[in-house]
Structure formats: C-alpha cells, structure tokens
Amino acid sequence: MAEIAHDFFPLIRVYKDGRIERLMGEGLVPAESDPETGVQIKDIEIDPKINLSARLYLPKNLDPVHKIPLFVYFHGGGFVIESASSPTYHKHLSMVATEAKVVIVSVNYRLAPEYPLPIAYEDSWTALKWVGSHAKGDGNEPWLKHHADFNRVYFGGDSAGGNIAHNITIRVGSEKLEGMKLNGIFLACPFFWGKDLIDGEGENLGAKNYVEKLWLFVNPNSSGLDDPLINPEKDPKLCSLGCEKVLVYVAGKDPLRYRGFYYKEALENSEWRGTVEVVEIKDEEHVFHLFAPTAENSMAMLRKLVSFFNQSKA
C-alpha cells in the first residue's frame, strides 16, 4: 500500500507517490432542470484555458419586464473537494433560486492541492469580472442579460466558500466591479480561524490543529493562521468590505462557530459602516443545511435568506 503524505479525513488523502484521493465530493449532477422546483440549470464555460466554469440557476415563471437579484455562490469543501456540479449543492441552490426568485451563478473554481491558493480567489475574481461584463452589455449569456438586476447583487458561500465570498468582497471594496452593486453577503459556517484561541476554542484543540494543517496544505506560502485570508481580524482592509450588509449562519456543534461571532465583532470594531447579523442554530453540525435542505432548521435559514435578498428589493 502506498505511503500517505497528507491525510485530511474525511476530505482528501495524498500519497507520497503523488496520487491524490478525494474521499468525498466527487459526485456530479447533470445540468438539467430540477423537476421539483422547475428551476432551469445549465453549465457555462468562463475561461476554457484554465478550466473555469460556472453552473447557472434560473427560476420559473419570470416576469419578462422586471429583473431579479443576482446571487453569486462559492461552494465549500476546504478548498480541496466539491464542485459547482456536486449533489451537495443541487437541491439547496435550486430551492434558493425558486424561493428567493434570484438568478444564481455558482462558480466552479479550481481546487488545491493541484491548484493551491490563491488560485481559488483569482478564479473567483475572474468569474465575477465575466459576470460583470453582462452589466455593461458585453457578455453573451442570455440568462444574465435578460433577467439579472446588477443593482441587486449578492455573494454567498459555505465553509471555504464563505471564506472566498468574504475575501472577494474585500477586493470589491478596493477595486470595485464596474456596473454591479454588491448589496450583501451570506456566509454559512465560514472557514475562519486565527493563531490565538478565542473564547470557546480551548474546548477543541484538535480542531485548531486540523484547520492549521489544512490551511497550510491548501496555501503553502501562507504566513499561518493569522494570514488575513483566514483571519479577517488581521486584515487592514477589513473596514473596506465592499457591501452594506452581512448575514452569517453558525452551527452549535461546529468548532468554527466561535469565529463567526468573532467576525461580527471584528467588523463592528473596524470602520466598516454596514450591518452584520449572526444567527446560531443550536444542535446542528457544520453546513447542516446542505445535508438536509428540507429539514426545519434549513428551511428557516432559507426563509431568512429570502428576506435578506428582499430587504433592498427595487
């Protein structure tokens, strides 16, 4: 049996002979209309040279005159597993599209370790520029041209995808996205940590060890857990977060939950002038809503997300 070099159970295993074994998140769902919601789904290429693509969701029964909000989503998976085509996201995003009446662009960024960070961030930014090209009339994707309201744009993501959504929003604050107004971001169990333990984290030192090893595995040139990419409190650009409101969900049984509250505290202590809300769901595990999208707590989250999108409805 080949000797193991890195083992991040239950995500990924890397052998010393160079072989990579992804332990989950390898399944694919065809880009077909969802029979339960009637949501149309399709895959598009953004940049075939780097294998960058996205999966689009369009709800049914749209008014041809009035455009609807645009939700750009970044999937989780520790930067090493899952994709925009994973079964993990099919049901959840189909339900978001139909209940919130939003166009969704789920970005299929490249994964570590073959493509270490910051590639996932760069891929996500490239995807956003492609999306933004439609606001200026240059893009050729009809679902975006005909239905997306670029004055009501939201980002979202779970776990590592929540980390990406935050960091891309920091970039929006400094570089802007021409033709698009980013109203808010939705972070579900975001992947944040730090070098120094905060209140509550001392109960699970194994979690810090796992997160630190995984972080340096996916981002080998990082300075460690106080890298602003994983510890927003250390980011001098935090006050420039490029949106007006933030909604964070944390799960009561998730070791990352303390960082969700700490993120809120860091934003409020910076000079950022938006509003941030953290909702904790007791007795739930990390990204619970993806594994049981129709359960009571998941549906409550969905209703909250619908309200979040509609607060600035035109």
Side-chain angles (χ1 to χ4, degrees), residues 49 53 78 106 109 146 155 158 178 185 187 192 195 238 255 270 279 314:
K49 296 190 296 293
S53 63
S106 181
Y109 56 86
H146 298 154
F155 297 166
D158 63 284
E178 187 177 348
I185 59 174
L187 311 181
F192 297 141
K195 181 179 178 181
L238 184 61
S270 75
V279 179

Side-chain angles (χ1 to χ4, degrees), residues 69-72 96 99-100 102 152-157 169 182-188 241 243-249 272 274-279 300-314:
L70 171 63
F71 185 38
V72 182
V96 171
E99 294 296 328
V102 292
R152 289 188 288 158
V153 178
Y154 295 84
F155 297 166
T169 305
L182 178 60
N183 289 268
I185 59 174
F186 165 65
L187 311 181
L241 190 73
C243 66
E244 300 170 349
K245 56 183 181 176
V246 177
L247 174 63
V248 182
Y249 261 76
W272 180 67
T275 59
V276 53
E277 179 182 3
V278 179
V279 179
M301 174 192 281
L302 179 58
R303 290 190 294 270
K304 181 75 171 180
L305 188 55
V306 171
S307 175
F308 184 69
F309 290 143
N310 289 330
Q311 285 171 7
S312 60
K313 189 174 182 179

Side-chain angles (χ1 to χ4, degrees), residues 31-224:
E32 300 172 348
S33 297
D34 182 60
E36 295 184 25
T37 62
V39 171
Q40 298 180 68
I41 302 172
K42 67 178 175 181
D43 293 332
I44 53 92
E45 284 189 330
I46 295 175
D47 188 342
K49 296 190 296 293
I50 60 172
N51 196 30
L52 177 61
S53 63
R55 175 158 288 195
L56 275 59
Y57 297 75
L58 187 73
K60 65 179 181 179
N61 300 329
L62 293 180
D63 185 328
V65 176
H66 296 98
K67 295 188 176 183
I68 59 177
L70 171 63
F71 185 38
V72 182
Y73 194 83
F74 307 97
H75 70 80
F79 302 100
V80 295
I81 63 167
E82 301 288 5
S83 73
S85 304
S86 295
T88 304
Y89 297 95
H90 176 80
K91 181 68 174 178
H92 171 63
L93 291 182
S94 294
M95 292 173 65
V96 171
T98 195
E99 294 296 328
K101 279 284 191 273
V102 292
V103 184
I104 300 177
V105 177
S106 181
V107 179
N108 199 43
Y109 56 86
R110 288 173 290 175
L111 299 176
E114 300 94 327
Y115 302 100
L117 294 179
I119 288 177
Y121 300 120
E122 295 302 326
D123 283 358
S124 298
W125 186 252
T126 297
L128 284 178
K129 290 194 293 184
W130 173 84
V131 169
S133 70
H134 295 80
K136 299 178 290 183
D138 298 331
N140 57 8
E141 172 46 55
W143 288 6
L144 296 180
K145 290 177 67 174
H146 298 154
H147 298 291
D149 183 348
F150 290 96
N151 287 314
R152 289 188 288 158
V153 178
Y154 295 84
F155 297 166
D158 63 284
S159 195
N163 175 295
I164 293 174
H166 161 78
N167 282 297
I168 291 299
T169 305
I170 291 289
R171 190 164 178 177
V172 169
S174 58
E175 298 186 33
K176 311 299 180 185
L177 281 171
E178 187 177 348
M180 297 172 62
K181 176 175 172 52
L182 178 60
N183 289 268
I185 59 174
F186 165 65
L187 311 181
C189 306
F191 185 79
F192 297 141
W193 207 274
K195 181 179 178 181
D196 296 326
L197 295 175
I198 59 177
D199 287 348
E201 289 179 347
E203 302 169 6
N204 193 347
L205 295 178
K208 178 186 178 182
N209 183 55
Y210 183 90
V211 169
E212 183 171 27
K213 287 183 177 179
L214 178 60
W215 175 249
L216 292 175
F217 175 69
V218 301
N219 193 2
N221 293 321
S222 172
S223 59

